[in-house]
């Protein structure tokens, strides 16, 4: 499978708090200046009316078609990861909306996994946690628009379980359960679908 580039996610630190503190100090300083000005005698005030210092209202930034398309791709990608665990919990693709959000290789892999779970009398409990999905590349002007998405996938609470006993099935342990996943989506007839994905166990996140 083709590996698509992924973007590093930037953690939000304490910058907003520092900015908030600076803003509070600025407002306090402005209040002090205002108090000093109003205490002056009326005769010392300028006769010309002061100009308004009120800031102009911010103008709303209109979302571009490209930004809207990327948001739609991310929403479809998140929906795909919401439907996939539902299919593996039965296990069956029927009764889920997986085919609405997956096609080609991604759908084939899901159906193969469902078949393997059935034949071994197993299912999957819990669910994966997908965080920070980001569009890392897009070709939206093509006849069939596509987008590459990178995210962090945590599968630590997604367990293979014996269907009869309800107990965890013995599986080979892995050192990493939270890693980068890259995926390719295409828009078919106005709907985004996940076509394929690649797990990067060597890239913990």
């Amino acid at each position: 499978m083709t590996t698509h580039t992924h973007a590093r996610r930037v953690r939000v630190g304490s910058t907003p708090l520092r900015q908030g503190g600076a803003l509070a100090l600025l407002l306090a300083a402005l209040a002090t200046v205002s108090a000093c000005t109003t205490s002056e005698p009326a005769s010392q005030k300028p006769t010309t009316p002061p100009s308004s210092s009120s800031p102009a209202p911010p103008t709303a930034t209109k979302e571009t078609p490209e930004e809207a398309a990327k948001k739609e791709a991310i929403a479809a990608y998140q929906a795909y990861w919401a439907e996939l665990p539902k299919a593996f919990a039965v296990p069956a693709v029927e009764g889920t909306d997986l085919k609405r959000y997956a096609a080609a290789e991604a759908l084939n892999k899901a159906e193969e996994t469902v078949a393997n779970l059935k034949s071994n009398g197993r299912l999957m409990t819990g669910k994966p946690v997908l965080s920070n999905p980001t569009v890392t590349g897009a070709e939206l002007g093509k006849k069939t628009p596509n987008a590459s998405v990178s995210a962090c996938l945590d599968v630590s609470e997604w367990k293979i379980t014996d269907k009869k006993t309800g107990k965890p099935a013995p599986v080979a342990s892995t050192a990493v359960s939270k890693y980068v996943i890259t995926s390719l989506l295409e828009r078919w007839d106005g709907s985004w679908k996940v076509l394929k994905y690649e797990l990067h166990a060597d890239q913990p996140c």
Side-chain angles (χ1 to χ4, degrees):
M1 291 182 292
T2 303
T3 302
H4 298 276
T5 58
H6 62 278
R8 295 181 180 271
R9 282 152 294 284
V10 180
R11 294 184 177 179
V12 179
S14 58
T15 302
L17 293 178
R18 292 199 296 270
Q19 289 177 342
L23 180 59
L25 292 174
L26 177 60
L27 292 176
L30 290 175
T32 303
V33 172
S34 176
C36 293
T37 303
T38 55
S39 63
E40 295 178 357
S43 59
Q44 295 181 6
K45 291 184 178 180
T47 55
T48 57
S51 59
S52 174
S53 60
S54 299
T59 56
T61 304
K62 187 176 181 180
E63 187 176 65
T64 65
E66 291 77 12
E67 291 171 336
K70 290 179 180 180
K71 281 187 177 181
E72 291 172 0
I74 291 294
Y77 190 59
Q78 292 172 321
Y80 163 79
W81 279 105
E83 293 301 314
L84 192 63
K86 292 179 184 178
F88 291 174
V90 179
V93 173
E94 294 74 20
T96 72
D97 287 332
L98 188 60
K99 290 184 178 180
R100 179 179 176 183
Y101 302 108
E105 186 177 309
L107 181 58
N108 290 338
K109 280 188 173 182
E111 292 175 334
E112 288 174 3
T113 302
V114 165
N116 287 335
L117 289 169
K118 279 184 177 180
S119 63
N120 287 283
R122 295 176 180 177
L123 48 79
M124 294 189 72
T125 56
K127 60 180 64 177
V129 177
L130 186 77
S131 59
N132 199 29
T134 305
V135 174
T136 57
E139 295 175 308
L140 303 175
K142 297 184 68 175
K143 184 178 180 180
T144 303
N146 66 72
S148 300
V149 174
S150 176
C152 182
L153 185 68
D154 185 350
V155 297
S156 59
E157 299 301 321
W158 206 16
K159 308 291 185 182
I160 299 178
T161 304
D162 186 282
K163 195 171 184 179
K164 288 183 178 179
T165 64
K167 296 180 179 180
V171 293
S173 61
T174 57
V176 180
S177 60
K178 188 177 180 181
Y179 41 76
V180 171
I181 179 172
T182 54
S183 307
L184 175 67
L185 290 82
E186 285 187 351
R187 187 164 61 189
W188 295 3
D189 299 325
S191 298
W192 286 96
K193 295 180 183 291
V194 179
L195 266 61
K196 57 183 178 180
Y197 61 84
E198 185 168 357
L199 305 175
H200 302 274
D202 60 332
Q203 297 179 30
C205 53

